[in-house]
């Protein structure tokens, strides 16, 4: 297990093995600094009321690849916690599941993308789940669904940027999807049942 302590900015590209779970604790920062971070295991991000803490993708060259599951959480009783401004550039490739949540009394702003593109391109089934989906709370910006394996959207998901479903991708939606920009389906399947 690896965790951040204080402020960490990657000085170069980093690859962590599949046995590694990376935890970014409340009050700490992990910035990619224009680099690529490939994580073989799970990613756990907790944010607090401290300004700018959590995961920070601020430069166009920032690329995060998460091969395990990814969880974004606001810490307990941190009602002013927000990731707004932390995810403004670059891209995150999710190869496993994605969960946005909060602990009791925490805000619903643990994953607020204002420019970071989220790409779901795993080789096995993936699930996307938000506890606080809203155009004013947690949301994706640009979203690309590009997987040969099924992707399940569990509950409501909001995307403020363009949404692309690529060829061969099957997406099942169990509730509502709020796309505030263009939806492009090119040979993939989008089925909504809810």
């Amino acid at each position: 297990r690896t965790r951040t302590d204080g402020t960490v900015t990657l000085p170069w590209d980093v690859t962590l093995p599949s046995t590694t779970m990376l935890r970014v604790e409340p009050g700490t920062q992990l910035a990619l600094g224009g680099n690529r971070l490939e994580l073989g295991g799970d990613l756990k991000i907790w944010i607090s009321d401290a300004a700018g803490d959590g995961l920070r993708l601020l430069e166009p060259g920032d690329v995060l690849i998460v091969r395990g599951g990814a969880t974004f959480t606001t810490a307990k009783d941190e009602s002013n916690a927000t990731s707004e401004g932390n995810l403004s550039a670059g891209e995150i490739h999710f190869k496993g599941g994605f969960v946005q949540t909060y602990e009791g009394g925490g805000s619903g702003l643990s994953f607020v993308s204002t420019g970071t593109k989220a790409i779901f391109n795993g080789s096995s089934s993936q699930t996307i789940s938000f506890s606080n989906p809203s155009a004013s709370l947690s949301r994706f910006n640009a979203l690309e669904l590009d997987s040969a394996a099924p992707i399940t959207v569990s509950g409501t998901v909001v995307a403020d940027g363009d949404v692309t479903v690529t060829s061969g991708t099957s997406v099942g939606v169990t509730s509502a999807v709020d796309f505030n920009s263009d939806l492009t389906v090119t040979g993939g399947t989008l089925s909504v049942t809810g």
Side-chain angles (χ1 to χ4, degrees):
R1 185 184 325 186
T2 302
R3 68 177 206 177
T4 61
D5 187 19
T7 299
V8 176
T9 301
L10 297 182
W12 50 73
D13 293 348
V14 175
T15 300
L16 298 172
S18 62
T19 55
T20 302
M21 176 178 68
L22 179 60
R23 294 172 54 112
V24 179
E25 301 286 343
T28 65
Q29 295 178 5
L30 173 62
L32 271 54
N35 295 297
R36 179 178 185 263
L37 172 59
E38 184 168 349
L39 176 60
D42 293 338
L43 175 67
K44 307 279 186 188
I45 305 290
W46 279 270
I47 61 169
S48 69
D49 289 345
D53 72 342
L55 177 65
R56 297 173 58 86
L57 277 72
L58 307 174
E59 300 180 32
D62 290 345
V63 176
L64 173 61
I65 300 169
V66 183
R67 297 204 174 277
T71 303
F72 294 80
T73 305
T74 50
K76 184 175 181 174
D77 297 327
E78 301 288 327
S79 61
N80 294 316
T82 183
S83 65
E84 191 154 9
N86 286 3
L87 303 171
S88 61
E91 50 190 47
I92 303 175
H93 295 255
F94 295 102
K95 306 291 188 176
F98 170 92
V99 175
Q100 176 277 319
T101 189
Y102 66 101
E103 295 177 350
S107 77
L109 297 163
S110 56
F111 190 91
V112 180
S113 176
T114 58
T116 299
K117 183 176 187 177
I119 301 168
F120 286 84
N121 56 353
S123 57
S124 59
S125 297
Q126 294 177 271
T127 299
I128 302 169
S129 172
F130 277 82
S131 292
N132 307 99
S134 167
S136 62
L137 293 172
S138 286
R139 61 197 178 270
F140 292 120
N141 188 270
L143 174 62
E144 182 177 328
L145 306 172
D146 180 18
S147 177
I151 298 173
T152 301
V153 177
S154 177
T156 300
V157 169
V158 174
D160 278 344
D162 292 345
V163 177
T164 304
V165 180
T166 60
S167 182
T169 301
S170 174
V171 180
V173 179
T174 61
S175 186
V177 181
D178 186 358
F179 300 137
N180 297 321
S181 191
D182 293 337
L183 169 64
T184 305
V185 180
T186 56
T189 303
L190 177 66
S191 59
V192 180
T193 59

